[in-house]
Amino acid sequence: MNTIQPRYRQIADELRLLIASGTLKPGDALPTEMELCEVKDISRHTAREALRILTEDGLIARRRGAGTVVTAPPAPAFAQPIGDFESILQYARDAVFIPERTRPASAADLKRMGVEGDYIVYTGLRRATGEAPLAITTILVLRQLAPPLEEVNQLQGSISEWIEGAHGASVSNVIQRMEAVALGKGDAARLGVAAGSPALRTLRRYADTAGRTILVSESLHPAGRFAYEMKLTRQRK
Amino acid sequence: MNTIQPRYRQIADELRLLIASGTLKPGDALPTEMELCEVKDISRHTAREALRILTEDGLIARRRGAGTVVTAPPAPAFAQPIGDFESILQYARDAVFIPERTRPASAADLKRMGVEGDYIVYTGLRRATGEAPLAITTILVLRQLAPPLEEVNQLQGSISEWIEGAHGASVSNVIQRMEAVALGKGDAARLGVAAGSPALRTLRRYADTAGRTILVSESLHPAGRFAYEMKLTRQRK
DNA sequence: TAGTGGTCTAGACCACATG
DNA sequence: ATGTGGTCTAGACCACTAG
């Protein structure tokens, strides 16, 4: 793969790393344009292009006459930056879902998840590698599309991607709902927190091109272990 | 208000008008960079800057070797490619913010909200008409842009819209962070729930085109009174 | 092959913020 | 008064697309 990057992008990435790693903290000054020109041996235009990228990403703020400073607090490790459709699937890949049980969905399951139909339920924990469990996850899959449990266990990607590969179905949109809830006794115990503790409940409904809900997932993230972060960019008008 | 616009922005606006008016339809070719340079008597850099703005707005698409064309018209409302920007402002209009107090931001305020600088704090409740309070809201506004409290009281739209109207500043993007938290005693009492109750904490940072954070808002929605819902549509590809 | 957009250089003048 | 970022010029070479 030819991954040659333009100079301005390389420099933007270097600076981004300094910010992400905490070497440059919020409020800290970045090199001025002229300093960048000398240190990196580039023209001012190239330096500005790099800084422009970081500005658009919301990482730095620039003020004429004053200078350039870091604006974004370094995202805590548990923060999940999400800005678009693809990154939801990305999260599903990064944080491994470890299924524990599977069974047909009961009426209570369907009501809680807000769907109707013939679904299979997978329950389990979601964790990043080697960490404490991030969340309890429940996934409902349309029975006719559901993968067997043993396949899910060795799944590399997400279940929705497996469905797309195995059945040719295509996820067209995702409706995501987020709210705060109090954890019940059982859930709290599995996550190692007190009953009644706050959690972020994220419900996602995946619909295919025909509008059929092929998958619903519910995640319960206990307070402090996870934050959902997204960047919204203004549209044309 | 400062009416002087840089040359590249004037030209971007001229082209934008051609597209908005339908003179240039989707698929139509725009002038090449060199043509723009000659017709407008500008350097190539300035022409590119104008075209870049339109590219970022998603109005045009550029292909090396091929040229520049007008992209497809704005997608229907239900198919916004991204959990969209406008809907945040919409919420800010629907649920009225009732400010109670204002004061300069303390160091603790700034730390909690993740910003640095000279900000004014507004605290108050947010409620839909006639209902129980939906949330406790805290808003930090850059002092030089802050509206007086009596203006906020009779504000029709959101504070961010007031700023845009009064100062000509333009919100370019919003970073939104959501997590679950336990309510402290004071907050819980104001919302009429028990201390330690779960709440959805939503932190939003509004940045202008220079990356300057002009407004930060924090909302605490007690469990059960509010859910945040967004629809993400898969991109072409 | 001719023309496009992508990258980059080396200058310049300006408005603005800070000391 | 100095230095910052914002704007702009006038070049250059390149990778890519299309006729």
Side-chain angles (χ1 to χ4, degrees):
Chain A
M1 166 155 41
N2 191 6
T3 48
I4 246 191
Q5 290 277 60
R7 196 88 180 89
Y8 65 84
R9 187 161 290 280
Q10 294 174 26
I11 289 169
D13 288 342
E14 289 177 28
L15 293 173
R16 188 196 307 275
L17 193 59
L18 290 182
I19 297 172
S21 68
T23 307
L24 286 174
K25 298 185 226 353
D28 286 356
L30 269 80
T32 65
E33 294 180 354
M34 288 314 296
E35 286 171 355
L36 264 187
C37 293
E38 291 162 12
V39 172
K40 303 292 185 183
D41 192 32
I42 54 179
S43 75
R44 190 169 163 221
H45 175 70
T46 304
R48 281 182 64 78
E49 198 66 26
L51 293 171
R52 176 205 290 272
I53 290 178
L54 300 180
T55 303
E56 280 173 3
D57 285 355
L59 289 175
I60 63 176
R62 320 197 66 198
R63 274 166 60 229
R64 168 165 31 185
T68 303
V69 298
V70 179
T71 57
F78 58 80
Q80 179 61 29
I82 290 186
D84 55 39
F85 186 91
E86 299 301 334
S87 46
I88 277 192
L89 302 180
Q90 185 62 46
Y91 169 67
R93 276 190 294 272
D94 288 347
V96 184
F97 174 56
I98 300 157
E100 295 170 345
R101 291 187 305 152
T102 180
R103 55 181 164 80
S106 68
D109 291 325
L110 296 175
K111 184 179 179 192
R112 182 164 53 94
M113 308 290 270
V115 291
E116 295 185 357
D118 189 12
Y119 288 85
I120 296 289
V121 182
Y122 304 81
T123 58
L125 297 175
R126 194 178 280 281
R127 63 176 82 232
T129 48
E131 307 272 334
L134 272 176
I136 292 177
T137 297
T138 305
I139 297 181
L140 266 63
V141 183
L142 215 51
R143 183 194 293 272
Q144 65 203 85
L145 303 176
L149 185 58
E150 54 273 22
E151 286 228 33
V152 175
N153 270 309
Q154 47 193 6
L155 215 49
Q156 285 305 315
S158 64
I159 292 188
S160 67
E161 285 176 330
W162 182 91
I163 293 176
E164 296 198 321
H167 291 98
S170 177
V171 176
S172 164
N173 69 71
V174 178
I175 293 177
Q176 173 167 297
R177 180 186 173 89
M178 292 193 288
E179 60 186 329
V181 297
L183 286 174
K185 274 186 194 170
D187 290 341
R190 292 175 67 199
L191 289 165
V193 297
S197 296
L200 180 67
R201 177 176 188 252
T202 306
L203 191 68
R204 298 201 182 106
R205 308 189 344 156
Y206 294 67
D208 66 9
T209 47
R212 192 175 50 158
T213 299
I214 62 177
L215 186 150
V216 191
S217 77
E218 176 194 57
S219 288
L220 293 170
H221 290 93
R225 290 194 200 161
F226 181 80
Y228 186 92
E229 196 166 276
M230 71 193 85
K231 179 181 174 187
L232 306 177
T233 304
R234 178 160 242 168
Q235 311 276 22
R236 61 193 130 203
K237 66 174 152 188
Chain B
M1 173 146 23
N2 192 4
T3 49
I4 247 190
Q5 289 279 64
R7 196 88 180 88
Y8 64 85
R9 188 161 289 280
Q10 294 174 25
I11 290 169
D13 287 342
E14 290 177 27
L15 293 171
R16 188 194 307 275
L17 193 59
L18 290 181
I19 296 173
S21 68
T23 308
L24 286 174
K25 297 186 225 353
D28 287 356
L30 269 79
T32 66
E33 293 180 354
M34 288 315 294
E35 286 170 356
L36 264 187
C37 294
E38 290 162 12
V39 172
K40 303 293 184 181
D41 192 31
I42 55 179
S43 75
R44 188 169 165 221
H45 175 70
T46 304
R48 280 182 65 77
E49 198 65 25
L51 292 171
R52 143 180 267 142
I53 289 179
L54 300 179
T55 303
E56 279 172 5
D57 286 355
L59 290 174
I60 62 176
R62 320 196 65 197
R63 274 167 61 230
R64 165 163 36 184
T68 303
V69 298
V70 179
T71 54
F78 63 85
Q80 289 293 355
I82 283 192
D84 68 87
F85 187 91
E86 301 300 335
S87 55
I88 277 191
L89 301 181
Q90 186 60 45
Y91 168 67
R93 274 190 297 270
D94 289 347
V96 184
F97 174 57
I98 300 156
E100 296 170 345
R101 291 187 305 150
T102 180
R103 55 181 165 79
S106 69
D109 291 326
L110 296 175
K111 183 177 180 194
R112 183 165 52 93
M113 308 290 270
V115 292
E116 295 187 355
D118 189 13
Y119 289 85
I120 297 288
V121 182
Y122 304 82
T123 57
L125 296 174
R126 195 178 279 281
R127 65 176 80 233
T129 47
E131 306 271 334
L134 271 177
I136 292 178
T137 296
T138 305
I139 298 181
L140 266 62
V141 183
L142 213 51
R143 182 193 294 270
Q144 66 203 86
L145 303 177
L149 184 59
E150 55 273 21
E151 286 228 33
V152 175
N153 269 310
Q154 47 192 6
L155 214 51
Q156 286 305 315
S158 64
I159 291 189
S160 67
E161 286 175 330
W162 182 90
I163 292 177
E164 296 197 321
H167 291 99
S170 176
V171 175
S172 162
N173 69 71
V174 178
I175 293 176
Q176 172 167 297
R177 182 188 172 91
M178 311 184 85
E179 60 186 328
V181 297
L183 286 174
K185 274 187 196 170
D187 290 340
R190 293 175 65 198
L191 289 165
V193 298
S197 295
L200 180 66
R201 177 177 190 252
T202 306
L203 190 68
R204 298 202 181 103
R205 306 192 331 157
Y206 294 67
D208 67 9
T209 49
R212 189 174 54 156
T213 299
I214 62 178
L215 186 150
V216 193
S217 77
E218 176 195 56
S219 288
L220 293 169
H221 290 92
R225 291 193 200 163
F226 178 79
Y228 185 91
E229 195 164 279
M230 65 192 308
K231 176 172 182 173
L232 306 178
T233 303
R234 180 165 243 167
Q235 311 280 21
R236 59 192 158 240
K237 166 150 52 172

